[in-house]
Amino acid sequence: MHDSRELVLARLPSGVPIRTTVHVYGEGTLVDGEEGPELDVPDDGGPVVYAQAAQHGREVNGAAVLRRLHGRLTGEADDDAADLGDGIDDDVRGTLVSVPVADPLTFDRVSYTTPESLDSINANMNRCWPGDPDGTLHERMAARLWPFASAADAVVDLHTGSPNMLTHTVYMRGDEECRGLAEAFGTDLLLAEAAGDDADTEWAERNFGGKFRVAATREGIPTITPELAHSREVVEEAVETGVDGMVGVLRREGVLAGDPAPWDGTVARNHLGRVTAADSGLFRAEPDLAIGDEVTDGERLGEVYDPTTFETLQVAEADRDGIVYSVARESTVTAGATLVGVAERIEE
Ligand SMILES: [Zn+2]
């Protein structure tokens, strides 16, 4: 069973409402609340999974994933893959709530953040969770979505990287439930993000505590952030990876019958393995460097040079053994920019 409702997230200065759509599948229903639709799940309604996409509006593949999943769950699939019947097997009770476009402001701009004029304090929606109904624009939008997420037993926040980022799933290191969810999603690479104590200062400086995944995990709700390949362009492979991942999560939680496929991949840590530009210039990656490559400490990854004098300003080298999970797509770099992301393997 499927239902969907329009949800007003906030209003713009002109009075124009910022609208999105909430979908519900399975046991749960959407009922009229004081400020719009609310989720209602019967006491014996089983597990609830919440999934959203496009907090960063240019990351369009997550929205495409939720559309294709909708097709499979409702039997209206736009492809030849086996549909999932009514989604909820007679013996399996549960609910999926999905929001394909969590941030219409960035979606319309095909951007990562909003213009300062709309939210100068939290230009990045993914730094202000769980939001504040009396706060800035993004805080208000997060606060409207939060009740759907906080009612869930598991949360998936779909993001995408650039074509030059290896598909991976981020979870809170040390949290076994989040780890289990990440394995059920099934990407080969899992990135275990530090829980706080041993995170570098970037954690605090970039307000990572306000990430949706972190806020929900702290509420005791297992949450993952899959980073599918590609932004801006709907890419078949990324959509299929995302749909397979969602089906794995729904199976793990018992919303769909069956078990997720066994996971057999690599766990690494991120954020500590950035090779950054020591100076501004043009970056030339080693011609054979590709995402997914294994690199060793000290390995040459590329160079930054002065385009006017041709002088080499920096030979960029890996500062650890690991897996290349991103390579700068734009060659014009400013000092401090990430050239290559190297995820350090922490488990085989
Ligand atoms: Zn994102």
Side-chain angles (χ1 to χ4, degrees):
M1 195 177 81
H2 167 251
D3 190 17
S4 64
R5 299 278 183 96
E6 180 183 289
L7 176 68
V8 175
L9 296 168
R11 55 183 288 282
L12 292 167
S14 60
V16 170
I18 304 165
R19 296 191 180 99
T20 195
T21 303
V22 183
H23 296 263
V24 173
Y25 308 82
E27 299 287 327
T29 53
L30 291 166
V31 297
D32 291 326
E34 271 181 28
E35 296 191 53
E38 293 175 2
L39 178 66
D40 184 52
V41 179
D43 288 341
D44 59 350
V48 177
V49 171
Y50 174 82
Q52 70 173 33
Q55 276 202 76
H56 300 138
R58 69 188 183 196
E59 301 176 15
V60 295
N61 279 296
V65 165
L66 294 178
R67 178 172 185 263
R68 186 162 299 174
L69 181 65
H70 168 91
R72 300 222 178 131
L73 289 171
T74 59
E76 302 164 7
D78 61 349
D79 55 275
D80 297 331
D83 73 65
L84 299 166
D86 292 330
I88 314 297
D89 186 277
D90 284 344
D91 300 326
V92 182
R93 305 168 68 81
T95 300
L96 168 67
V97 180
S98 78
V99 176
V101 179
D103 189 347
L105 298 174
T106 54
F107 193 91
D108 287 344
R109 288 171 52 81
V110 198
S111 63
Y112 184 72
T113 56
T114 57
E116 285 225 331
S117 57
L118 291 180
D119 196 331
S120 61
I121 297 167
N122 295 293
N124 183 347
M125 187 185 187
N126 201 24
R127 296 293 182 273
C128 69
W129 294 86
D132 178 351
D134 301 314
T136 69
L137 198 60
H138 267 155
E139 286 175 334
R140 287 168 193 236
M141 292 166 65
R144 291 295 293 125
L145 292 170
W146 181 252
F148 296 98
S150 61
D153 300 290
V155 167
V156 181
D157 187 23
L158 292 163
H159 288 248
T160 68
S162 72
N164 284 327
M165 177 181 273
L166 190 61
T167 298
H168 63 268
T169 302
V170 188
Y171 73 97
M172 182 78 80
R173 186 165 58 191
D175 187 309
E176 286 309 309
E177 287 299 310
C178 293
R179 167 67 180 268
L181 202 60
E183 289 190 10
F185 195 87
T187 60
D188 287 339
L189 178 64
L190 307 186
L191 290 187
E193 192 171 78
D197 289 347
D198 58 348
D200 60 12
T201 50
E202 185 181 34
W203 178 279
E205 286 170 359
R206 295 177 66 184
N207 197 19
F208 283 179
K211 286 182 178 181
F212 179 44
R213 177 179 53 75
V214 174
T217 299
R218 283 182 175 156
E219 285 292 306
I221 306 164
T223 301
I224 53 171
T225 307
E227 292 275 359
L228 303 171
H230 293 274
S231 290
R232 300 174 187 270
E233 177 187 6
V234 175
V235 173
E236 191 62 24
E237 194 183 342
V239 175
E240 276 301 307
T241 300
V243 172
D244 288 348
M246 285 303 305
V247 169
V249 163
L250 293 170
R251 287 186 167 144
R252 177 181 193 267
E253 295 300 313
V255 176
L256 289 177
D259 295 315
W263 179 80
D264 178 25
T266 299
V267 180
R269 64 196 305 197
N270 62 343
H271 293 301
L272 301 176
R274 292 163 185 267
V275 178
T276 57
D279 207 340
S280 304
L282 275 180
F283 173 58
R284 175 181 184 268
E286 287 299 288
D288 59 350
L289 185 70
I291 58 168
D293 281 359
E294 298 273 352
V295 293
T296 54
D297 191 2
E299 186 170 331
R300 183 186 168 105
L301 303 176
E303 64 177 335
V304 177
Y305 64 91
D306 181 331
T308 64
T309 65
F310 312 141
E311 177 193 2
T312 298
L313 301 170
Q314 174 191 9
V315 174
E317 295 175 345
D319 64 347
R320 67 198 64 223
D321 296 350
I323 301 156
V324 174
Y325 78 92
S326 70
V327 178
R329 184 186 197 181
E330 299 211 357
S331 303
T332 308
V333 295
T334 47
T338 300
L339 303 175
V340 179
V342 178
E344 185 178 21
R345 192 185 282 273
I346 54 179
E347 282 173 39
E348 291 306 312

